[in-house]
Amino acid sequence: MHHLRFLTCALALFIAAGTQAQPNGQIQASLVRITSTEVEPDYRAPWNSGSIGRGVGAGFVIDGQRILTNAHVVSNSRYLTVEREGDPNKYPATVEFVAHDCDLALLQVASPTFWKNMKPLGFGGIPALESTVSAYGYPIGGERMSVTTGIVSRIDFSLYTHSAIDSHLAIQISAQINPGNSGGPVMQSAKVVGVAFQGYSGDIAQGVAYMIPTPVIRRFLKDIEDGHYDRYVDLGITYTKLQNPAQRHFLGLNDDDRGVLVGTVIEAGPCGKILQKGDVLLAVDGHPIASDAFVEFEGERVQMPEVVERKFKGDTVKLDLLRNRQPMSVDITLGTVWPYFMQAHSYDVRPRYVVYGGLLFQPMSLDLLQAYRINDLRVRHYFDFFVTDQLYLQHPEVVILTNILPDPINTYLLPYRSSIVDEINGKKIGTLQDLARAFEQPVDRFVVKMVGDGPPLVLNPKEVESARERIKTRYNVLQEQNLDEQPPAKPAVAAKDNI
Amino acid sequence: MRTPVFFLVALLAFVPLAEAKKAPVSVKKLPASAQGAVQAKEVSLVRVNVTGQPYDYFRPWQKKAPFSKRALGAVLPHDRVLVTADLVANQNYVELERAESGEKTAASVVVVDYEANLALIEPTDKNFLKGLQPLELALDTVVGDRLAAWQLESTGALVVTEGIVTTIGITRYPADVADFLTYRLSIPMQYRDNSYTVPLVKNNKLAALLLRYDPRSQVLDAIPAPIIAHFLKDATGAKYQGFPSLGIAFFPTRDPQLRAYAGEESKTGGVYITSVEPGLPAAKAGLLPGDIVTAVEDHNIDQNGNYVDSLYGKLGFSNLLTAKAYVGDTIALHVLRAGKPLTLNVKLEHRGEEDYVIPPYNIDDPPSYYVLGGLIFQELTRQYLKEWGNNWEKDAPQDFVYLDKYQSELFPEGNQRVVILSQVLPANSTIGYDDFSYLVVKKVNDKEIRSLADLAEAVKTPLNGFHVIQTVDDPKQLELDATEVAAESDALQKNYGLPALQRLD
C-alpha cells in the first residue's frame, strides 16, 4: 500500500539558515519506522493465500511500551518489523489491537533492547484553527525521519477511507502528508494532537491532509482497556433536518429550532423496535438537538452522532423525543449495526466461499464487488440498499454466483453468472452456510432459484460428484469451501424493550 | 419480447448535427451503368429538412432549443416519402426539397413507428413529387447480396456506394423496446449531411434504410424491406397498429439439466419461458413460466430460439411474430408443459409505450408534471432518465434505473405509473426541502399515488390544512401548509417563469 515511489520531478534544495531547536522535542526518540509484509486476499481465487506486498509507515511510542499507528499500516500483515532512528536493527513487532473503523492500531515489541531510551509521547487536545502543527514520518518510504509543518485548516466529521463507511471527527491540516507518513504523530507544543492518516492524490486537491484527532485516539485506547476492541457504536437510524416551518407545525413542534425527524430505523441496530419512523428526536443525553442536527457538546457545536461516538458498547444513551406529538424518553443500549459491515472493507480475514460443480458462490461484500468489478444492476441495488431497505432481514448474506470454472457439467451455465441465489429446492438461502448445507442434502436434483425472473439453475448431484476431482485438479482448487474463518454475520440480539 | 441472450451491438448512429463540415475524403462515383445508379432526373430521393424541438424533462414545462436535421427520404408510391422515425422525432416543422432544383414544400408526418424506427411523410403540395420515380421494395435480399447506398451531392447528383450484406439477424432497435430483423452490411460509406435516412437499393428497388453506422469498422445496420413492407401495409389501414408483442422472456434450453427439469426428455428444440407479462397476449392465451415453446405455427424452434426461415436459414423466432405477423392475427404456440404437449392460440396485440409502468419512450407528447408549492412531481419515464445523456444507465439515479430495468418484476400487476418528486424550486413553502430530489412518492394526503392524476386529485383534500407527502426513501414524509402553497403559487409561477403549474395527460 505504501510502496516506495520515486518522484520524477526535480527536488529543490533549501539550505537551512542557522540552527533552531526542535520545538516539539526529540521526536527521534519516539518515532518508529514500520515495515509490514502483507498478504492481500484474492477474492477471484479465494482458495489461494493471496498476493504478498510490502509497505512502509510510521508509528510512535506511547505509555505502557506500546506503539500507536494506523490500522491500514498493519492490515493483512503477516510479518512486521519496526526500526528506530540511529539504530541499525530491525525489531519484530506484533499487532496487539487493531481498530479498522477508526484506522488505529497498537503494536508490541518484545525485545527489551528496542525500548531502551525510547520516550513515550503524551497527548494534547484539539488544536486551534490556524495554529501550526508538525507532521513526522517516512514519506514515500525514505529511511530518515521527515518533518513537515502546516496549519489546522478545518475540524469536521470526515469519511475514514480505510473502512469506507465510517465517519468520525477528523482534522484537516495543510502540512504535506504522503504515503509513509501514515501512522506518524502530528505535534504541537511537544504533544501529540493527531495521527496522520489520509489525504488526496495530487490531481484532486493539494495541501489537504487529514489527521485522526485525540478524542478518537483516546476513545480507542479506552475501548481496549478491557482487552478487546468492541468497535464504534451507532444508533442505526437515518434522520433529516426539520427546518421547514409547515412541517414543524404539522409535527406539533414549538418554534424553537429543535428536533430532527427519524426516517429509517434499522431493525438490527440498537434503536430497532424502540424508535419509529416519524419520531422527532429532541435531545440526546440532555443536549438539545438543533433542527440542523447539531448539538452543543463540551463547549463545541458538533453533529448529533458525535455524542454517541464517544460512548462504548453496552453504554446507554438517553433520547428525548416526540411521538405523535407526545413527549417521551427512551434509553438506548448502544451496540454495533452489523449489516453495515458488508459495505465496509474487511481486513485480516480469509474470503468465504463454496465451490460446487465448478460454480463459485461468495457472499456479497465491498471487497468482492471491487475484485470482480460487478456492474450488474441488481447486485448493485442489493449492495446499496442492503441496510436502508432492510434487505438483510431476508438475506443476512447475499450469496452471489460469482464465477464458473468451466467443465462439461457446467458449460451451459455461464448466463447465470453474477446472479443472487434465492432458494435451493424451495428453501430460502439466507447465508453461505445455508447454501453449503443445502448442497449436502441427498436429493436427485438441485433446483437453484435466483433472485428475479430468470430460469432456475439445475444441477445433478451425481454429475457434480463425478466431476469434483477433475475440477479441483484442473483449477488447483486447494479447498472447496471456507465457511468458518470469519463466522457468518448473525442478527444482533433483539434490543431490550426499555421504553 | 425480452430475451436474456444479449446481442451487443456496439455500433454508433451517425451524429447528424453540426458536423456537416467534416468534408468527405474522397468520393467514389460509380459509372451510371453500375448497379443501383440511375439518372439524376429520375432519382427517387428528396431531401427532408426537419426542425425538431424535444421537451426538456428536467424542466418539463418547456421545450429545448430547436435544431435542424437534414436528411434524405425515399419516394414511395402514392406521393409518400419514407424516412426513419428518429429523423422526425419531436418535429415542429418538416419540409421536402427537390434535390435537383432546390424547390421546397411543407410536409406532414402521416404515420410514425418509433419502435421500428420508420415514418411516412406527405407533401402539402400534392404535385411536388411529380417526375420522381417511386421506389418499389426488394424483399428478397439475402446474405452475400450487394446493396447500393444512395446519397446526394450538393448539386443533387447521386453518390452511390456499394456494400455487401454480411449478416441477417434479429437485433435490438434504438428505441430499446423490441428486436427486429436487421441487415448488416460492410460498406465504406462517406459522411454526408444526409446520413439520417440513407436508402439501400438493389436493382433500383428499395432494399433497406440505414439504422446505424459505425464509420470506424464500416459496419452498417439497416432496417430491411420486410420490416418496411410490414410498416407500409399496416399504414394503409384505418388506424396504425404497430408490431405485435407477445409479452414473454425466454431462455435457451441447451442445458440438459434444465431440459430434464422442465420435462423435456428428448433432444429436440424449444425455449424455456422465464416470464410472462400479465395482461399481454401470451398471458391471455395461458402461457406460463416454465413452459417450453417448441414451435410457432408450423415452424419448429431450436434450443437457442431459432427457426429455419425459407429465405435466410436460421433466425430468431421473434421474426415470426414481428415481420411475419400482424396485430389481430391468431397464431398457434406449441408448448410442452411438464412434458405434455399443448397448443395455445395467441391473439396478437401491440404493446404501446403507454402500456408500461415506466414508458420506454415518450416522443412528441409533452411530459406531464405537477408543481405544488415548489415541489415538482413527474411520472418516471425512460425519456426522463435519458436526460442524463448517452451514459444514462450509469449516470441517472440508480434506483430509478433499477425500477425501469426490472419494472415487470417489481410491478407485476402493471396498470400504474411511478410518481417522483424530481426536484424542488426553493420558495417560502419549501424552506429546508431544497436538497430533496429523485424521491418516489408513495402517498399524498393519505391516498395511494399510482399516477400524476392521482396526485392532482389527492391535493384537493389537504389533511387539517397540510399537504402530507410520503416518500419511499428518506425523508419518508414532508408537509406543506396548504394555505401558504395556494397563496404563494402565483408568485412562484412568475418567479420561475412557469407557463403553468401543471400539465396532466
Side-chain angles (χ1 to χ4, degrees):
Chain A
M1 212 174 296
H2 311 283
H3 304 284
L4 181 61
R5 286 185 305 167
F6 294 99
L7 294 180
T8 47
C9 60
L11 293 171
L13 293 176
F14 294 96
I15 293 148
T19 53
Q20 201 187 353
Q22 286 180 253
N24 290 310
Q26 281 290 319
I27 304 298
Q28 288 93 328
S30 309
L31 190 72
V32 298
R33 183 179 189 271
I34 301 169
T35 306
S36 166
T37 305
E38 60 201 17
V39 174
E40 211 166 319
D42 182 354
Y43 282 84
R44 299 171 66 104
W47 45 84
N48 287 342
S49 58
S51 57
I52 297 177
R54 196 158 67 161
V56 171
F60 57 95
V61 172
I62 62 168
D63 264 349
Q65 297 208 329
R66 299 176 295 178
I67 294 167
L68 187 66
T69 184
N70 283 141
H72 74 257
V73 171
V74 299
S75 290
N76 295 324
S77 72
R78 291 296 186 277
Y79 195 72
L80 279 177
T81 58
V82 295
E83 294 158 76
R84 337 186 271 179
E85 286 278 325
D87 179 347
N89 294 303
K90 284 175 183 268
Y91 298 91
T94 52
V95 177
E96 192 184 8
F97 295 102
V98 61
H100 295 297
D101 56 359
C102 61
D103 204 357
L104 289 170
L106 271 182
L107 310 186
Q108 276 187 328
V109 179
S111 165
T113 333
F114 170 83
W115 294 105
K116 222 172 153 186
N117 300 325
M118 287 303 269
K119 290 204 182 77
L121 293 176
F123 292 104
I126 293 178
L129 274 176
E130 254 185 288
S131 64
T132 304
V133 293
S134 305
Y136 300 82
Y138 299 90
I140 57 173
E143 296 201 350
R144 299 298 304 272
M145 181 180 90
S146 142
V147 194
T148 53
T149 66
I151 59 163
V152 174
S153 312
R154 178 159 40 182
I155 304 168
D156 201 359
F157 254 53
S158 288
L159 180 71
Y160 279 42
T161 57
H162 178 59
S163 78
I165 60 161
D166 292 276
S167 284
H168 308 296
L169 197 66
I171 295 181
Q172 183 191 325
I173 57 177
S174 67
Q176 291 294 327
I177 288 187
N178 288 296
N181 268 111
S182 284
V186 181
M187 309 286 293
Q188 188 178 69
S189 310
K191 298 257 193 216
V192 175
V193 291
V195 174
F197 80 122
Q198 65 190 29
Y200 288 101
S201 63
D203 47 355
I204 294 177
Q206 294 181 359
V208 177
Y210 291 91
M211 65 177 189
I212 302 171
T214 51
V216 176
I217 299 169
R218 287 203 166 95
R219 189 201 175 281
F220 167 64
L221 295 175
K222 181 137 192 276
D223 189 315
I224 58 170
E225 276 173 5
D226 61 358
H228 184 260
Y229 181 66
D230 293 318
R231 296 178 181 246
Y232 268 80
V233 290
D234 195 282
L235 285 175
I237 58 170
T238 63
Y239 55 86
T240 47
K241 301 170 181 178
L242 276 177
Q243 294 163 314
N244 185 276
Q247 186 167 38
R248 298 185 61 83
H249 188 194
F250 175 84
L251 294 166
L253 292 167
N254 298 325
D255 199 8
D256 58 0
D257 301 330
R258 271 181 71 182
V260 292
L261 180 67
V262 174
T264 304
V265 181
I266 294 152
E267 278 191 41
C271 296
K273 295 198 170 66
I274 299 175
L275 290 188
Q276 293 173 5
K277 173 184 90 173
D279 285 349
V280 178
L281 302 184
L282 295 171
V284 49
D285 273 352
H287 306 287
I289 302 169
S291 59
D292 62 353
F294 275 80
V295 295
E296 293 283 345
F297 185 61
E298 295 178 358
E300 300 260 348
R301 196 159 191 270
V302 297
Q303 293 188 34
M304 185 188 94
E306 179 70 13
V307 179
V308 175
E309 286 267 301
R310 307 280 177 96
K311 296 187 179 250
F312 297 91
K313 192 177 173 182
D315 287 356
T316 57
V317 66
K318 181 166 170 266
L319 296 176
D320 295 336
L321 57 106
L322 210 57
R323 175 175 298 167
N324 301 326
R325 297 177 169 236
Q326 296 304 309
M328 58 191 286
S329 242
V330 294
D331 287 314
I332 305 288
T333 304
L334 292 169
T336 52
V337 184
W338 67 265
Y340 278 126
F341 301 160
M342 188 279 293
Q343 295 173 332
H345 286 297
S346 54
Y347 301 96
D348 304 315
V349 291
R350 282 195 56 201
R352 296 161 57 247
Y353 65 94
V354 168
V355 176
Y356 186 77
L359 310 180
L360 175 58
F361 297 94
Q362 295 175 274
M364 182 165 76
S365 68
L366 177 61
D367 296 306
L368 185 84
L369 298 201
Q370 289 188 347
Y372 283 99
R373 297 181 188 177
I374 297 179
N375 277 325
D376 182 85
L377 193 57
R378 194 194 301 276
V379 172
R380 287 209 326 260
H381 178 86
Y382 267 72
F383 183 82
D384 292 342
F385 290 88
F386 185 70
V387 185
T388 47
D389 279 5
Q390 322 252 13
L391 299 177
Y392 60 86
L393 294 175
Q394 283 244 354
H395 293 272
E397 287 180 332
V398 178
V399 181
I400 304 174
L401 170 57
T402 50
N403 206 357
I404 294 169
L405 309 173
D407 184 85
I409 66 156
N410 61 33
T411 185
Y412 298 110
L413 302 182
L414 203 60
Y416 295 90
R417 232 182 96 156
S418 299
S419 314
I420 298 169
V421 179
D422 195 19
E423 292 178 1
I424 297 180
N425 289 355
K427 203 176 166 299
K428 280 271 172 201
I429 299 302
T431 61
L432 189 69
Q433 189 88 41
D434 289 349
L435 177 119
R437 275 203 210 106
F439 282 140
E440 283 165 8
Q441 300 305 311
V443 291
D444 295 336
R445 173 189 286 157
F446 290 118
V447 180
V448 184
K449 197 193 160 302
M450 303 298 190
V451 171
D453 274 348
L457 186 158
V458 185
L459 290 168
N460 179 333
K462 281 197 200 104
E463 280 195 0
V464 171
E465 195 51 43
S466 71
R468 200 170 154 185
E469 283 309 313
R470 184 170 71 211
I471 292 172
K472 267 181 82 172
T473 314
R474 185 177 288 154
Y475 296 99
N476 197 25
V477 178
L478 304 171
Q479 194 190 341
E480 284 179 301
Q481 60 180 43
N482 175 39
L483 297 173
D484 304 321
E485 296 231 4
Q486 178 194 6
K490 287 251 169 55
V493 179
K496 213 177 123 212
D497 197 348
N498 51 0
I499 294 175
Chain B
M1 195 177 310
R2 295 171 297 130
T3 147
V5 186
F6 295 109
F7 295 91
L8 285 178
V9 184
L11 297 177
L12 305 165
F14 257 158
V15 180
L17 316 171
E19 308 237 340
K21 282 180 200 145
K22 282 187 196 165
V25 180
S26 71
V27 178
K28 186 190 168 203
K29 280 189 206 170
L30 293 184
S33 60
Q35 180 191 30
V38 290
Q39 293 300 316
K41 208 176 104 196
E42 295 164 30
V43 164
S44 319
L45 298 181
V46 281
R47 292 195 197 277
V48 185
N49 303 322
V50 179
T51 305
Q53 201 177 2
Y55 285 92
D56 183 346
Y57 277 69
F58 286 155
R59 287 158 214 82
W61 46 86
Q62 66 190 37
K63 283 181 160 190
K64 292 178 183 172
F67 66 97
S68 296
K69 301 178 244 188
R70 198 162 151 80
L72 293 181
V75 177
L76 298 182
H78 312 299
D79 294 325
R80 290 183 165 186
V81 174
L82 183 72
V83 294
T84 52
D86 52 12
L87 174 69
V88 296
N90 298 304
Q91 53 83 17
N92 284 346
Y93 182 66
V94 181
E95 64 182 15
L96 298 179
E97 179 183 330
R98 290 287 290 246
E100 75 289 358
S101 66
E103 191 189 342
K104 292 180 184 177
T105 186
S108 57
V109 177
V110 187
V111 184
V112 60
D113 184 330
Y114 290 109
E115 295 175 18
N117 199 18
L118 290 169
L120 271 181
I121 49 188
E122 225 172 41
T124 328
D125 172 4
K126 296 293 171 210
N127 296 320
F128 186 76
L129 298 172
K130 267 221 170 97
L132 293 176
Q133 184 69 37
L135 281 168
E136 285 174 50
L137 292 183
L139 291 160
D140 56 352
T141 304
V142 291
V143 168
D145 280 358
R146 303 183 78 82
L147 301 184
W150 279 4
Q151 293 170 285
L152 289 180
E153 291 283 22
S154 52
T155 56
L158 192 66
V159 184
V160 177
T161 319
E162 269 200 3
I164 186 159
V165 178
T166 58
T167 318
I168 294 180
I170 307 291
T171 70
R172 180 127 293 219
Y173 273 29
D176 199 16
V177 172
D179 305 326
F180 295 107
L181 190 70
T182 311
Y183 297 161
R184 176 162 291 181
L185 282 84
S186 176
I187 185 168
M189 212 170 60
Q190 310 130 18
Y191 183 84
R192 310 202 147 246
D193 62 349
N194 49 27
S195 301
Y196 244 102
T197 300
V198 176
L200 296 148
V201 173
K202 183 180 154 186
N203 298 330
N204 287 337
K205 290 182 175 177
L206 183 64
L209 275 188
L210 180 142
L211 182 64
R212 52 199 158 207
Y213 182 63
D214 176 18
R216 268 197 305 180
S217 61
Q218 302 194 333
V219 170
L220 181 152
D221 278 0
I223 308 164
I227 297 294
I228 296 171
H230 189 291
F231 168 75
L232 293 175
K233 185 176 172 199
D234 195 343
T236 57
K239 180 180 179 288
Y240 183 79
Q241 304 279 349
F243 285 79
S245 162
L246 274 189
I248 58 165
F250 64 88
F251 192 77
T253 57
R254 273 199 168 166
D255 180 18
Q257 299 301 331
L258 180 65
R259 300 175 68 78
Y261 168 71
E264 212 292 298
E265 302 290 351
S266 69
K267 291 212 165 170
T268 54
V271 290
Y272 185 93
I273 300 300
T274 55
S275 72
V276 181
E277 297 236 15
L280 296 182
K284 285 181 185 168
L287 194 71
L288 296 175
D291 286 350
I292 292 188
V293 174
T294 55
V296 174
E297 294 281 291
D298 52 356
H299 298 280
N300 287 326
I301 295 171
D302 72 11
Q303 296 173 357
N304 289 325
N306 295 323
Y307 75 103
V308 179
D309 188 272
S310 55
L311 193 58
Y312 310 117
K314 278 199 173 185
L315 198 65
F317 82 96
S318 67
N319 193 54
L320 294 169
L321 304 157
T322 51
K324 304 214 170 194
Y326 289 83
V327 166
D329 289 358
T330 299
I331 55 142
L333 289 186
H334 301 285
V335 170
L336 273 180
R337 178 172 298 167
K340 294 201 179 66
L342 195 69
T343 299
L344 302 172
N345 291 310
V346 184
K347 187 151 190 277
L348 295 178
E349 296 167 26
H350 172 71
R351 186 182 192 188
E353 96 272 7
E354 67 285 353
D355 300 333
Y356 293 79
V357 171
I358 297 160
Y361 59 92
N362 190 10
I363 303 167
D364 300 324
D365 295 328
S368 54
Y369 66 93
Y370 197 99
V371 181
L372 183 70
L375 307 182
I376 298 173
F377 297 96
Q378 290 176 264
E379 287 180 348
L380 185 58
T381 60
R382 198 176 298 156
Q383 211 72 37
Y384 171 75
L385 296 174
K386 283 182 175 171
E387 290 285 357
W388 269 270
N390 286 339
N391 215 9
W392 65 272
E393 282 168 282
K394 291 269 184 305
D395 295 342
Q398 288 298 291
D399 44 340
F400 287 176
V401 178
Y402 176 78
L403 289 176
D404 175 42
K405 180 163 178 187
Y406 296 110
Q407 56 176 301
S408 55
E409 257 176 66
L410 298 168
F411 309 99
E413 73 290 352
N415 194 30
Q416 72 163 95
R417 292 274 192 270
V418 175
V419 175
I420 57 169
L421 168 54
S422 58
Q423 54 179 314
V424 177
L425 298 174
N428 286 338
S429 56
T430 56
I431 279 180
Y433 296 154
D434 318 8
D435 293 339
F436 295 142
S437 56
Y438 316 136
L439 296 166
V440 176
V441 178
K442 200 157 79 177
K443 283 183 175 182
V444 171
N445 295 336
D446 263 349
K447 295 191 182 70
E448 293 281 345
I449 299 302
R450 294 161 64 85
S451 69
L452 207 54
D454 285 355
L455 184 135
E457 191 57 36
V459 299
K460 287 179 184 164
T461 48
L463 301 177
N464 301 320
F466 292 97
H467 292 302
V468 181
I469 294 127
Q470 286 173 265
T471 57
V472 172
D473 288 313
D474 284 355
K476 307 272 192 202
Q477 66 178 82
L478 50 162
E479 289 84 17
L480 299 171
D481 183 320
T483 318
E484 192 184 6
V485 166
E488 206 187 12
S489 69
D490 283 351
L492 182 92
Q493 195 177 341
K494 277 204 195 84
N495 193 20
Y496 288 101
L498 310 179
L501 287 174
Q502 64 183 72
R503 178 163 55 211
L504 302 171
D505 295 332

